[in-house]
Amino acid sequence: MPSLPLKAFFRFTDAVFAVMLAFLSLAILLGVGKLFLHLWPLVKSGTVTGSYIDIITDVLSLFVIIELARSLAEYFHVQRLRLTFIADAAIVSVLRDVMIGLFQKSLTIELILSLSALLLVLGALRTSAVLVFQRERMIDRSLRGKDAC
């Protein structure tokens, strides 16, 4: 049974994560509203090339925020932060920067190579996290099976 300071710590972290999740939810709502506001100049200009970079940037930024919100929501479900969701958010964030850089034609060879290496490391980290999680579940199932006998 956890001690009183430990219970207080868990309640505090739950409250902090709840506030963070509320702010992220508000940011998602505001981001969707901003996305719709960017549609008006696009419709008014008559060409797609006018403000498409703003719309792409907003959509990709929303993906990052949604991945972070998923990570926090999962915390309330299992009472721990899963590395896969955090790695997903990091991967989406790096891909966002790559895509924006490609659209703006502002990426150098060195930056492309370094971001590619970062994506490789993040992908390996995410893959290992999934494999470790599956292994833990298999061990958990086998231990529960032995307890039932």
Side-chain angles (χ1 to χ4, degrees):
M1 178 124 194
S3 65
L4 186 60
L6 196 56
K7 283 183 184 179
F9 172 75
F10 286 136
R11 284 190 183 132
F12 177 74
T13 55
D14 285 348
V16 168
F17 281 165
V19 169
M20 288 170 52
L21 187 58
F23 278 120
L24 285 174
S25 299
L26 181 62
I28 291 170
L29 286 174
L30 292 173
V32 170
K34 184 180 174 190
L35 188 63
F36 283 116
L37 289 176
H38 278 288
L39 285 177
W40 178 246
L42 186 67
V43 171
K44 195 168 82 172
S45 72
T47 64
V48 176
T49 58
S51 63
Y52 74 95
I53 191 69
D54 294 332
I55 293 172
I56 291 170
T57 302
D58 288 346
V59 168
L60 295 173
S61 297
L62 280 173
F63 283 157
V64 173
I65 294 171
I66 288 169
E67 286 299 324
L68 290 173
R70 278 184 56 201
S71 171
L72 285 174
E74 180 70 14
Y75 169 79
F76 288 109
H77 183 66
V78 295
Q79 291 297 309
R80 70 179 201 175
L81 290 173
R82 293 214 14 224
L83 186 59
T84 54
F85 290 131
I86 296 169
D88 286 344
I91 290 169
V92 169
S93 179
V94 172
L95 285 174
R96 172 195 174 275
D97 290 341
V98 168
M99 292 174 75
I100 290 170
L102 288 173
F103 281 120
Q104 293 177 339
K105 297 180 174 98
S106 64
L107 292 179
T108 62
I109 298 290
E110 295 84 13
L111 187 58
I112 291 173
L113 290 174
S114 62
L115 290 174
S116 298
L118 179 59
L119 281 173
L120 180 66
V121 169
L122 288 172
L125 177 71
R126 189 192 186 289
T127 303
S128 342
V130 169
L131 292 175
V132 168
F133 178 71
Q134 288 176 348
R135 184 172 178 215
E136 285 176 357
R137 285 181 57 196
M138 296 279 281
I139 291 171
D140 221 21
R141 283 185 195 154
S142 67
L143 290 177
R144 278 191 240 158
K146 288 180 183 176
D147 290 341
C149 293

